[in-house]
PDB file of all heavy atoms in Angstrom:
ATOM      1  N   ASP A   1     -61.886  21.962-153.709  1.00 97.00           N
ATOM      2  CA  ASP A   1     -60.604  22.505-153.260  1.00 97.00           C
ATOM      3  C   ASP A   1     -60.405  22.167-151.793  1.00 97.00           C
ATOM      4  O   ASP A   1     -61.190  22.589-150.945  1.00 97.00           O
ATOM      5  CB  ASP A   1     -60.587  24.025-153.461  1.00 97.00           C
ATOM      6  CG  ASP A   1     -59.283  24.679-153.021  1.00 97.00           C
ATOM      7  OD1 ASP A   1     -58.338  23.964-152.636  1.00 97.00           O
ATOM      8  OD2 ASP A   1     -59.217  25.916-153.064  1.00 97.00           O
ATOM      9  N   GLY A   2     -59.353  21.403-151.514  1.00 95.00           N
ATOM     10  CA  GLY A   2     -58.987  21.130-150.135  1.00 95.00           C
ATOM     11  C   GLY A   2     -58.788  19.653-149.861  1.00 95.00           C
ATOM     12  O   GLY A   2     -59.712  18.853-150.003  1.00 95.00           O
ATOM     13  N   GLY A   3     -57.563  19.275-149.509  1.00 96.00           N
ATOM     14  CA  GLY A   3     -57.293  17.888-149.168  1.00 96.00           C
ATOM     15  C   GLY A   3     -57.396  16.943-150.351  1.00 96.00           C
ATOM     16  O   GLY A   3     -57.680  15.752-150.185  1.00 96.00           O
ATOM     17  N   ILE A   4     -57.143  17.462-151.563  1.00 97.00           N
ATOM     18  CA  ILE A   4     -57.286  16.633-152.759  1.00 97.00           C
ATOM     19  C   ILE A   4     -55.986  15.867-153.030  1.00 97.00           C
ATOM     20  O   ILE A   4     -54.944  16.448-153.308  1.00 97.00           O
ATOM     21  CB  ILE A   4     -57.682  17.481-153.983  1.00 97.00           C
ATOM     22  CG1 ILE A   4     -59.053  18.117-153.754  1.00 97.00           C
ATOM     23  CG2 ILE A   4     -57.692  16.623-155.241  1.00 97.00           C
ATOM     24  CD1 ILE A   4     -60.187  17.139-153.550  1.00 97.00           C
ATOM     25  N   VAL A   5     -56.090  14.562-152.906  1.00 97.00           N
ATOM     26  CA  VAL A   5     -55.057  13.595-153.247  1.00 97.00           C
ATOM     27  C   VAL A   5     -55.767  12.544-154.116  1.00 97.00           C
ATOM     28  O   VAL A   5     -56.985  12.630-154.285  1.00 97.00           O
ATOM     29  CB  VAL A   5     -54.443  12.956-151.976  1.00 97.00           C
ATOM     30  CG1 VAL A   5     -53.733  14.009-151.137  1.00 97.00           C
ATOM     31  CG2 VAL A   5     -55.529  12.269-151.141  1.00 97.00           C
ATOM     32  N   PRO A   6     -55.058  11.572-154.702  1.00 97.00           N
ATOM     33  CA  PRO A   6     -55.762  10.649-155.588  1.00 97.00           C
ATOM     34  C   PRO A   6     -56.995   9.982-154.976  1.00 97.00           C
ATOM     35  O   PRO A   6     -58.020   9.830-155.647  1.00 97.00           O
ATOM     36  CB  PRO A   6     -54.673   9.633-155.949  1.00 97.00           C
ATOM     37  CG  PRO A   6     -53.423  10.461-155.965  1.00 97.00           C
ATOM     38  CD  PRO A   6     -53.585  11.405-154.808  1.00 97.00           C
ATOM     39  N   GLU A   7     -56.931   9.607-153.701  1.00 97.00           N
ATOM     40  CA  GLU A   7     -58.076   8.924-153.082  1.00 97.00           C
ATOM     41  C   GLU A   7     -59.281   9.857-152.967  1.00 97.00           C
ATOM     42  O   GLU A   7     -60.416   9.474-153.299  1.00 97.00           O
ATOM     43  CB  GLU A   7     -57.685   8.389-151.697  1.00 97.00           C
ATOM     44  CG  GLU A   7     -56.639   7.300-151.713  1.00 97.00           C
ATOM     45  CD  GLU A   7     -55.220   7.809-151.965  1.00 97.00           C
ATOM     46  OE1 GLU A   7     -54.987   9.034-151.838  1.00 97.00           O
ATOM     47  OE2 GLU A   7     -54.350   6.982-152.293  1.00 97.00           O
ATOM     48  N   THR A   8     -59.063  11.080-152.497  1.00 98.00           N
ATOM     49  CA  THR A   8     -60.192  12.008-152.362  1.00 98.00           C
ATOM     50  C   THR A   8     -60.605  12.570-153.714  1.00 98.00           C
ATOM     51  O   THR A   8     -61.771  12.912-153.918  1.00 98.00           O
ATOM     52  CB  THR A   8     -59.843  13.146-151.398  1.00 98.00           C
ATOM     53  OG1 THR A   8     -58.639  13.807-151.833  1.00 98.00           O
ATOM     54  CG2 THR A   8     -59.641  12.617-149.984  1.00 98.00           C
ATOM     55  N   ALA A   9     -59.660  12.646-154.648  1.00 97.00           N
ATOM     56  CA  ALA A   9     -60.021  13.052-156.010  1.00 97.00           C
ATOM     57  C   ALA A   9     -61.004  12.061-156.612  1.00 97.00           C
ATOM     58  O   ALA A   9     -61.963  12.446-157.295  1.00 97.00           O
ATOM     59  CB  ALA A   9     -58.768  13.155-156.884  1.00 97.00           C
ATOM     60  N   ALA A  10     -60.787  10.775-156.368  1.00 97.00           N
ATOM     61  CA  ALA A  10     -61.709   9.760-156.874  1.00 97.00           C
ATOM     62  C   ALA A  10     -63.096   9.945-156.268  1.00 97.00           C
ATOM     63  O   ALA A  10     -64.114   9.849-156.967  1.00 97.00           O
ATOM     64  CB  ALA A  10     -61.171   8.363-156.559  1.00 97.00           C
ATOM     65  N   THR A  11     -63.153  10.236-154.968  1.00 97.00           N
ATOM     66  CA  THR A  11     -64.434  10.491-154.308  1.00 97.00           C
ATOM     67  C   THR A  11     -65.127  11.693-154.925  1.00 97.00           C
ATOM     68  O   THR A  11     -66.334  11.662-155.218  1.00 97.00           O
ATOM     69  CB  THR A  11     -64.219  10.728-152.804  1.00 97.00           C
ATOM     70  OG1 THR A  11     -63.649   9.558-152.222  1.00 97.00           O
ATOM     71  CG2 THR A  11     -65.518  11.066-152.097  1.00 97.00           C
ATOM     72  N   ALA A  12     -64.366  12.766-155.117  1.00 97.00           N
ATOM     73  CA  ALA A  12     -64.939  13.994-155.680  1.00 97.00           C
ATOM     74  C   ALA A  12     -65.400  13.784-157.114  1.00 97.00           C
ATOM     75  O   ALA A  12     -66.450  14.296-157.517  1.00 97.00           O
ATOM     76  CB  ALA A  12     -63.909  15.118-155.613  1.00 97.00           C
ATOM     77  N   ARG A  13     -64.634  13.034-157.886  1.00 96.00           N
ATOM     78  CA  ARG A  13     -65.026  12.773-159.272  1.00 96.00           C
ATOM     79  C   ARG A  13     -66.304  11.944-159.336  1.00 96.00           C
ATOM     80  O   ARG A  13     -67.187  12.202-160.148  1.00 96.00           O
ATOM     81  CB  ARG A  13     -63.894  12.049-160.006  1.00 96.00           C
ATOM     82  CG  ARG A  13     -62.728  12.939-160.369  1.00 96.00           C
ATOM     83  CD  ARG A  13     -63.108  13.915-161.476  1.00 96.00           C
ATOM     84  NE  ARG A  13     -63.428  13.217-162.711  1.00 96.00           N
ATOM     85  CZ  ARG A  13     -64.253  13.676-163.650  1.00 96.00           C
ATOM     86  NH1 ARG A  13     -64.888  14.812-163.472  1.00 96.00           N
ATOM     87  NH2 ARG A  13     -64.469  12.997-164.756  1.00 96.00           N
ATOM     88  N   ARG A  14     -66.409  10.944-158.471  1.00 96.00           N
ATOM     89  CA  ARG A  14     -67.628  10.130-158.454  1.00 96.00           C
ATOM     90  C   ARG A  14     -68.845  10.967-158.094  1.00 96.00           C
ATOM     91  O   ARG A  14     -69.957  10.706-158.566  1.00 96.00           O
ATOM     92  CB  ARG A  14     -67.473   8.958-157.472  1.00 96.00           C
ATOM     93  CG  ARG A  14     -66.570   7.843-157.979  1.00 96.00           C
ATOM     94  CD  ARG A  14     -66.695   6.598-157.123  1.00 96.00           C
ATOM     95  NE  ARG A  14     -66.181   6.821-155.779  1.00 96.00           N
ATOM     96  CZ  ARG A  14     -64.945   6.556-155.403  1.00 96.00           C
ATOM     97  NH1 ARG A  14     -64.065   6.068-156.281  1.00 96.00           N
ATOM     98  NH2 ARG A  14     -64.561   6.761-154.158  1.00 96.00           N
ATOM     99  N   ALA A  15     -68.637  11.994-157.258  1.00 97.00           N
ATOM    100  CA  ALA A  15     -69.740  12.874-156.864  1.00 97.00           C
ATOM    101  C   ALA A  15     -70.054  13.916-157.930  1.00 97.00           C
ATOM    102  O   ALA A  15     -71.083  14.584-157.848  1.00 97.00           O
ATOM    103  CB  ALA A  15     -69.407  13.560-155.542  1.00 97.00           C
ATOM    104  N   GLY A  16     -69.150  14.086-158.931  1.00 96.00           N
ATOM    105  CA  GLY A  16     -69.436  14.975-160.047  1.00 96.00           C
ATOM    106  C   GLY A  16     -68.543  16.175-160.210  1.00 96.00           C
ATOM    107  O   GLY A  16     -68.819  17.039-161.047  1.00 96.00           O
ATOM    108  N   ALA A  17     -67.449  16.276-159.461  1.00 97.00           N
ATOM    109  CA  ALA A  17     -66.552  17.426-159.599  1.00 97.00           C
ATOM    110  C   ALA A  17     -65.884  17.431-160.972  1.00 97.00           C
ATOM    111  O   ALA A  17     -65.453  16.388-161.468  1.00 97.00           O
ATOM    112  CB  ALA A  17     -65.486  17.408-158.512  1.00 97.00           C
ATOM    113  N   ASP A  18     -65.800  18.618-161.569  1.00 96.00           N
ATOM    114  CA  ASP A  18     -65.162  18.790-162.877  1.00 96.00           C
ATOM    115  C   ASP A  18     -63.726  19.273-162.764  1.00 96.00           C
ATOM    116  O   ASP A  18     -62.900  18.997-163.641  1.00 96.00           O
ATOM    117  CB  ASP A  18     -65.929  19.832-163.706  1.00 96.00           C
ATOM    118  CG  ASP A  18     -67.398  19.520-163.826  1.00 96.00           C
ATOM    119  OD1 ASP A  18     -67.730  18.477-164.410  1.00 96.00           O
ATOM    120  OD2 ASP A  18     -68.216  20.315-163.336  1.00 96.00           O
ATOM    121  N   VAL A  19     -63.444  20.054-161.712  1.00 97.00           N
ATOM    122  CA  VAL A  19     -62.126  20.679-161.542  1.00 97.00           C
ATOM    123  C   VAL A  19     -61.585  20.293-160.181  1.00 97.00           C
ATOM    124  O   VAL A  19     -62.269  20.466-159.153  1.00 97.00           O
ATOM    125  CB  VAL A  19     -62.207  22.218-161.648  1.00 97.00           C
ATOM    126  CG1 VAL A  19     -60.801  22.829-161.616  1.00 97.00           C
ATOM    127  CG2 VAL A  19     -62.955  22.646-162.897  1.00 97.00           C
ATOM    128  N   LEU A  20     -60.357  19.787-160.148  1.00 98.00           N
ATOM    129  CA  LEU A  20     -59.709  19.370-158.914  1.00 98.00           C
ATOM    130  C   LEU A  20     -58.562  20.326-158.606  1.00 98.00           C
ATOM    131  O   LEU A  20     -57.621  20.441-159.392  1.00 98.00           O
ATOM    132  CB  LEU A  20     -59.159  17.945-159.052  1.00 98.00           C
ATOM    133  CG  LEU A  20     -60.163  16.872-159.497  1.00 98.00           C
ATOM    134  CD1 LEU A  20     -59.423  15.558-159.764  1.00 98.00           C
ATOM    135  CD2 LEU A  20     -61.249  16.675-158.454  1.00 98.00           C
ATOM    136  N   VAL A  21     -58.663  21.021-157.485  1.00 98.00           N
ATOM    137  CA  VAL A  21     -57.589  21.907-157.038  1.00 98.00           C
ATOM    138  C   VAL A  21     -56.694  21.123-156.095  1.00 98.00           C
ATOM    139  O   VAL A  21     -57.178  20.503-155.136  1.00 98.00           O
ATOM    140  CB  VAL A  21     -58.156  23.152-156.322  1.00 98.00           C
ATOM    141  CG1 VAL A  21     -57.012  24.033-155.801  1.00 98.00           C
ATOM    142  CG2 VAL A  21     -59.050  23.947-157.259  1.00 98.00           C
ATOM    143  N   ALA A  22     -55.401  21.137-156.346  1.00 97.00           N
ATOM    144  CA  ALA A  22     -54.459  20.407-155.498  1.00 97.00           C
ATOM    145  C   ALA A  22     -53.194  21.230-155.327  1.00 97.00           C
ATOM    146  O   ALA A  22     -52.640  21.721-156.312  1.00 97.00           O
ATOM    147  CB  ALA A  22     -54.132  19.048-156.109  1.00 97.00           C
ATOM    148  N   GLY A  23     -52.768  21.372-154.090  1.00 96.00           N
ATOM    149  CA  GLY A  23     -51.557  22.131-153.801  1.00 96.00           C
ATOM    150  C   GLY A  23     -50.408  21.223-153.424  1.00 96.00           C
ATOM    151  O   GLY A  23     -49.546  20.902-154.236  1.00 96.00           O
ATOM    152  N   THR A  24     -50.398  20.781-152.158  1.00 94.00           N
ATOM    153  CA  THR A  24     -49.289  19.952-151.694  1.00 94.00           C
ATOM    154  C   THR A  24     -49.230  18.620-152.424  1.00 94.00           C
ATOM    155  O   THR A  24     -48.150  18.058-152.608  1.00 94.00           O
ATOM    156  CB  THR A  24     -49.397  19.707-150.177  1.00 94.00           C
ATOM    157  OG1 THR A  24     -50.669  19.111-149.880  1.00 94.00           O
ATOM    158  CG2 THR A  24     -49.274  21.013-149.405  1.00 94.00           C
ATOM    159  N   ALA A  25     -50.379  18.102-152.863  1.00 96.00           N
ATOM    160  CA  ALA A  25     -50.385  16.824-153.579  1.00 96.00           C
ATOM    161  C   ALA A  25     -49.609  16.900-154.882  1.00 96.00           C
ATOM    162  O   ALA A  25     -49.148  15.875-155.392  1.00 96.00           O
ATOM    163  CB  ALA A  25     -51.823  16.380-153.858  1.00 96.00           C
ATOM    164  N   VAL A  26     -49.466  18.106-155.430  1.00 98.00           N
ATOM    165  CA  VAL A  26     -48.669  18.304-156.641  1.00 98.00           C
ATOM    166  C   VAL A  26     -47.265  18.774-156.289  1.00 98.00           C
ATOM    167  O   VAL A  26     -46.265  18.134-156.635  1.00 98.00           O
ATOM    168  CB  VAL A  26     -49.348  19.311-157.592  1.00 98.00           C
ATOM    169  CG1 VAL A  26     -48.410  19.670-158.759  1.00 98.00           C
ATOM    170  CG2 VAL A  26     -50.669  18.748-158.127  1.00 98.00           C
ATOM    171  N   PHE A  27     -47.169  19.888-155.577  1.00 97.00           N
ATOM    172  CA  PHE A  27     -45.873  20.558-155.438  1.00 97.00           C
ATOM    173  C   PHE A  27     -44.915  19.862-154.474  1.00 97.00           C
ATOM    174  O   PHE A  27     -43.727  20.163-154.485  1.00 97.00           O
ATOM    175  CB  PHE A  27     -46.088  22.016-155.030  1.00 97.00           C
ATOM    176  CG  PHE A  27     -46.601  22.874-156.161  1.00 97.00           C
ATOM    177  CD1 PHE A  27     -47.917  23.301-156.193  1.00 97.00           C
ATOM    178  CD2 PHE A  27     -45.770  23.231-157.206  1.00 97.00           C
ATOM    179  CE1 PHE A  27     -48.389  24.080-157.233  1.00 97.00           C
ATOM    180  CE2 PHE A  27     -46.231  23.994-158.261  1.00 97.00           C
ATOM    181  CZ  PHE A  27     -47.549  24.423-158.277  1.00 97.00           C
ATOM    182  N   ARG A  28     -45.391  18.933-153.678  1.00 96.00           N
ATOM    183  CA  ARG A  28     -44.482  18.184-152.806  1.00 96.00           C
ATOM    184  C   ARG A  28     -44.068  16.849-153.411  1.00 96.00           C
ATOM    185  O   ARG A  28     -43.395  16.057-152.758  1.00 96.00           O
ATOM    186  CB  ARG A  28     -45.131  17.953-151.443  1.00 96.00           C
ATOM    187  CG  ARG A  28     -45.247  19.235-150.626  1.00 96.00           C
ATOM    188  CD  ARG A  28     -45.725  18.970-149.224  1.00 96.00           C
ATOM    189  NE  ARG A  28     -45.919  20.204-148.476  1.00 96.00           N
ATOM    190  CZ  ARG A  28     -46.447  20.278-147.257  1.00 96.00           C
ATOM    191  NH1 ARG A  28     -46.836  19.166-146.641  1.00 96.00           N
ATOM    192  NH2 ARG A  28     -46.597  21.438-146.653  1.00 96.00           N
ATOM    193  N   HIS A  29     -44.474  16.618-154.675  1.00 96.00           N
ATOM    194  CA  HIS A  29     -44.199  15.311-155.273  1.00 96.00           C
ATOM    195  C   HIS A  29     -43.683  15.439-156.703  1.00 96.00           C
ATOM    196  O   HIS A  29     -44.300  14.954-157.643  1.00 96.00           O
ATOM    197  CB  HIS A  29     -45.461  14.453-155.228  1.00 96.00           C
ATOM    198  CG  HIS A  29     -45.954  14.188-153.842  1.00 96.00           C
ATOM    199  ND1 HIS A  29     -45.418  13.215-153.024  1.00 96.00           N
ATOM    200  CD2 HIS A  29     -46.929  14.806-153.117  1.00 96.00           C
ATOM    201  CE1 HIS A  29     -46.037  13.232-151.866  1.00 96.00           C
ATOM    202  NE2 HIS A  29     -46.954  14.180-151.893  1.00 96.00           N
ATOM    203  N   PRO A  30     -42.529  16.096-156.884  1.00 96.00           N
ATOM    204  CA  PRO A  30     -41.955  16.166-158.227  1.00 96.00           C
ATOM    205  C   PRO A  30     -41.460  14.786-158.658  1.00 96.00           C
ATOM    206  O   PRO A  30     -41.198  13.925-157.811  1.00 96.00           O
ATOM    207  CB  PRO A  30     -40.798  17.145-158.038  1.00 96.00           C
ATOM    208  CG  PRO A  30     -40.420  17.015-156.593  1.00 96.00           C
ATOM    209  CD  PRO A  30     -41.695  16.725-155.860  1.00 96.00           C
ATOM    210  N   PRO A  31     -41.320  14.563-159.965  1.00 97.00           N
ATOM    211  CA  PRO A  31     -41.689  15.449-161.065  1.00 97.00           C
ATOM    212  C   PRO A  31     -43.207  15.545-161.191  1.00 97.00           C
ATOM    213  O   PRO A  31     -43.916  14.567-160.995  1.00 97.00           O
ATOM    214  CB  PRO A  31     -41.055  14.779-162.286  1.00 97.00           C
ATOM    215  CG  PRO A  31     -40.986  13.323-161.913  1.00 97.00           C
ATOM    216  CD  PRO A  31     -40.722  13.288-160.438  1.00 97.00           C
ATOM    217  N   TYR A  32     -43.703  16.733-161.562  1.00 98.00           N
ATOM    218  CA  TYR A  32     -45.111  17.042-161.401  1.00 98.00           C
ATOM    219  C   TYR A  32     -46.043  16.295-162.354  1.00 98.00           C
ATOM    220  O   TYR A  32     -47.241  16.195-162.098  1.00 98.00           O
ATOM    221  CB  TYR A  32     -45.327  18.548-161.535  1.00 98.00           C
ATOM    222  CG  TYR A  32     -44.582  19.349-160.494  1.00 98.00           C
ATOM    223  CD1 TYR A  32     -44.012  20.589-160.810  1.00 98.00           C
ATOM    224  CD2 TYR A  32     -44.422  18.872-159.201  1.00 98.00           C
ATOM    225  CE1 TYR A  32     -43.331  21.322-159.856  1.00 98.00           C
ATOM    226  CE2 TYR A  32     -43.735  19.595-158.244  1.00 98.00           C
ATOM    227  CZ  TYR A  32     -43.190  20.820-158.578  1.00 98.00           C
ATOM    228  OH  TYR A  32     -42.512  21.544-157.635  1.00 98.00           O
ATOM    229  N   ALA A  33     -45.518  15.759-163.441  1.00 98.00           N
ATOM    230  CA  ALA A  33     -46.373  14.994-164.353  1.00 98.00           C
ATOM    231  C   ALA A  33     -46.976  13.781-163.655  1.00 98.00           C
ATOM    232  O   ALA A  33     -48.107  13.382-163.958  1.00 98.00           O
ATOM    233  CB  ALA A  33     -45.579  14.552-165.582  1.00 98.00           C
ATOM    234  N   ARG A  34     -46.255  13.226-162.710  1.00 98.00           N
ATOM    235  CA  ARG A  34     -46.738  12.022-162.032  1.00 98.00           C
ATOM    236  C   ARG A  34     -47.942  12.312-161.142  1.00 98.00           C
ATOM    237  O   ARG A  34     -48.981  11.650-161.276  1.00 98.00           O
ATOM    238  CB  ARG A  34     -45.583  11.388-161.240  1.00 98.00           C
ATOM    239  CG  ARG A  34     -45.920  10.073-160.579  1.00 98.00           C
ATOM    240  CD  ARG A  34     -44.658   9.432-160.056  1.00 98.00           C
ATOM    241  NE  ARG A  34     -43.902  10.344-159.200  1.00 98.00           N
ATOM    242  CZ  ARG A  34     -42.623  10.162-158.868  1.00 98.00           C
ATOM    243  NH1 ARG A  34     -41.966   9.124-159.357  1.00 98.00           N
ATOM    244  NH2 ARG A  34     -42.016  11.011-158.080  1.00 98.00           N
TER     245      ARG A  34
END
């Protein structure tokens, strides 16, 4: 949780994260499916 955007999500996933919390990366970029 924190600063999760596609680039950092990739880093976190490679390190083993199962759940990605994202706030502004989702809600500031409608439509949200993208």
Side-chain angles (χ1 to χ4, degrees):
D1 180 5
I4 297 299
V5 296
E7 294 76 16
T8 55
T11 298
R13 285 290 296 153
R14 286 193 293 267
D18 306 297
V19 186
L20 306 173
V21 177
T24 57
V26 172
F27 286 106
R28 290 187 184 174
H29 299 279
Y32 299 143
R34 185 170 53 197

